[in-house]
Amino acid sequence: MKKNIHSKISLIFTLALITVLSPSLSQAQTDHPVSFFPNKTIGLGLWLTLLIALAVIAVLYFAFKTKRDTKIYSKKSKQDKVTKLNCFLNNLESEEIQVVKENLNNSNSTKKLLPAILGLLFLLPHNVFSQTEPAKRSELFSQPGVLITFILIAIPLLFGIIFMIFKVSRALKHFFNEQNKKDAELLVDMITKETDSLDEQTLNTLKKANDFGLTNSELAGTASAVDDRGLIRNVNDDHDISFFAEKKSAAKRPKIDPQLTRLVLWFLGTAVFWLLWGTSMGEYLGIKYVTPDADSISWLSFGRLRAVHTNSVFWAWATLGMMGLGYYVVPMVSNAPLHSLKNGWRALKAVNIAMVVGNISVMAGINNGGGEYREFIWPIMALWAYGLILTLHNFIKTVAKRTTKEIYISNWYIIASYIMIIIVATLAYLPFLQTGIGETIVQGYYMHQAVGMWFMFSNLGFLYYFLPQQLNKPIYSYSLGVLAFWSQIIFYTLIGTHHFIFSALPWWLQTIAIVGSVGQLIAVISGTTNYLMTFKGSFSKIGSSYSLPFFLVGVIYYFTGSMQGTAEAFRETNLIWHFTDFTVAHSHITMYGIITFLLFAGIYAIVPRLTGNEPPKKGVGAHFWMALIGLQFYTIPLMIGGTLRGLAWAEGKSFIESVVLMAPYWLWRAIGGSLMWGSHIVLAYNFYKMVSGSKVTSVKEKAIEILKQRTAASK
């Protein structure tokens, strides 16, 4: 039977692999040698190759994982009853041994193990083309219809492979769960029936080993050589893939209000949805870089979708993610219940409704075209601000009811960020400020304060809570935190107009922005020092943590990205980098490398504590590396290309020459963006696994549950 299972699984994946590779194997031979990547379509060719490669990697990995799991199960199934019983007993806790003792003489009938039937065949039709007369590949592959057709074929193929993996995984999980349940019933019957292998003396010895406590005199030579102390327990010979580090489970937290848990999970869940939506729009915009005539629908025009992308990731993903983490952190550090759950739900609905209406209005052409990142018209943003005002009131009232003497610095940052963004959003939409040079000043203020005093400020507050929590040690210096807080408030509020160096703005105002940008380094250096010194001595914990790698990347980018922003503010550098792709790279380093990575970390830090379910270890690793590598592929080429482009303009070269110059760098941008987008799909899957509560049945837990039920029934 076991050979049958292995052979069926091998057949499934062999056929799937052939299916994946079939598009490249079934092409008819032509008379002329051609390049696989014609110059005009190298971007789409690479996209297709990446899709096929991802599918092949997914199939191979899942085949390996399935073979390993079935091998482990096969090894366990070969164990005799006594060996299984001994393994079970050696892993019991003291309370569980007591349950076994109470059921020692109970008896019940059992059913024989029935083998589960495993099999799933997923075949896709093969496309075989007959030989035709020679055609010019350069002409054929430059046709938009052909290019789009290949994309439309490749995408369903990839999703078909994903669907197949999901179905096979689900079938295997069901199979193993059923077997574990039956193994648990078998163990219970052995305990209650076959008492030859089990007596009360054995159980008492095991219980004594569990209850053993050190007397601090073991090294003096008084300890007995008999190993009845249970010092070596839970020996497990079934190892995971050695490439992946073992992760430490989240510590059990004090009981949290289930209603608050539900509210926080809804905030984070909707945030993940908007991340997928916003970055999917960005991914589609990347396709339009290669095939600008991919569609002719006004709703999908580049100008409109670009605003959908930026506003969705700013005001939906990042905002909702920070609100969700705030609703967890503020009551926790205040040691007090949340002031009003109803206001929390109202805030959640207000922000989400505003984002739905805002996206529809922008795609329909109804927008506030006067400013970047504020394309949503004022009634929509008023509803969005209403949600933030409700949350600010909620947090202030919660902090006012705190049971601690001081207000912890996390709440300083979080509440200050809400105050600042409400002021910033109000000023950005006041009509009498939206004329002439005043609108330019307001635009610079709005753009930079939204990033520095809303997204950055709130996430820095989360760091002061999550780093001590995840590292199990206090923050390095409270004083450095206070210094960073006040220096950021003093200097960051001055730097918005450094976006308009050499513009019509007053020269003195530009100079103040440059000075403020330099002064901001006080906050950056003091904050980064505080975070890294908190990490000091605990870097070994990073490999066993779900969230710490994301936190570390966020801290590093906080330093490098902020330093880069200061460097861009000087007139000499601004002259080269402004209006080039260098600023695109910088915006992604800050909003993705800092803000988004810290939000990822916060999600992995609290959701397992709220639900009791760990995320998939390999899924978290895939998410981290895809996001990090994708960010490097995205930003580094754009910084290099942007610098070369600025220098080309300084030399008097034409705009179109700079466009040709940027072509290879934009290709790397597309690759990096695709990796980042793919990592968000993995995040959504990980979030689903943490929230759904779906996990493999534990034989021990199931056996103890059955014993408790029988004990209760017998009484």
Side-chain angles (χ1 to χ4, degrees), residues 334-475:
S334 301
N335 198 24
L338 183 69
H339 171 67
S340 172
L341 281 168
K342 287 184 179 179
N343 282 346
W345 286 107
R346 291 190 186 107
L348 174 69
K349 293 174 184 176
V351 173
N352 276 287
I353 291 172
M355 291 300 99
V356 171
V357 177
N359 275 271
I360 294 173
S361 67
V362 167
M363 294 177 76
I366 304 169
N367 61 77
N368 177 42
E372 190 176 17
Y373 308 144
R374 52 173 176 161
E375 289 86 358
F376 289 172
I377 58 177
W378 74 263
I380 295 172
M381 288 305 287
L383 180 60
W384 177 86
Y386 169 70
L388 269 65
I389 292 170
L390 283 176
T391 300
L392 174 61
H393 177 264
N394 229 351
F395 288 173
I396 291 176
K397 286 287 189 179
T398 302
V399 173
K401 294 189 295 185
R402 70 188 184 280
T403 57
T404 57
K405 183 179 179 181
E406 295 85 5
I407 299 176
Y408 185 61
I409 196 167
S410 287
N411 283 345
W412 286 35
Y413 276 91
I414 294 169
I415 291 177
S417 69
Y418 281 85
I419 295 172
M420 289 301 302
I421 190 57
I422 291 169
I423 294 172
V424 169
T426 302
L427 290 176
Y429 282 90
L430 289 175
F432 55 83
L433 297 177
Q434 309 306 310
T435 57
I437 198 69
E439 183 176 13
T440 304
I441 297 173
V442 169
Q443 176 62 28
Y445 175 79
Y446 172 79
M447 281 195 303
H448 230 101
Q449 301 319 301
V451 174
M453 301 305 294
W454 169 228
F455 299 117
M456 194 76 73
F457 227 40
S458 198
N459 276 280
L460 294 180
F462 297 146
L463 272 174
Y464 280 97
Y465 172 76
F466 285 119
L467 276 189
Q469 180 208 60
Q470 296 293 294
L471 294 170
N472 195 25
K473 61 192 296 189
I475 198 72

Side-chain angles (χ1 to χ4, degrees), residues 491-537:
F491 292 109
Y492 211 102
T493 51
L494 304 175
I495 67 179
T497 49
H498 78 202
H499 287 271
F500 302 103
I501 304 297
F502 299 113
S503 70
L505 295 183
W507 193 262
W508 63 265
L509 187 58
Q510 299 176 34
T511 303
I512 287 176
I514 296 171
V515 173
S517 300
V518 176
Q520 170 62 14
L521 294 182
I522 299 173
V524 173
I525 293 172
S526 56
T528 305
T529 301
N530 213 4
Y531 305 136
L532 291 180
M533 291 303 289
T534 304
F535 266 108
K536 184 181 179 183

Side-chain angles (χ1 to χ4, degrees), residues 189-204:
D189 288 335
M190 291 174 65
I191 291 169
T192 55
K193 280 187 172 183
E194 302 180 20
T195 56
D196 295 339
S197 304
L198 183 66
D199 54 35
E200 192 160 346
Q201 183 179 356
T202 303
L203 293 175
N204 287 334

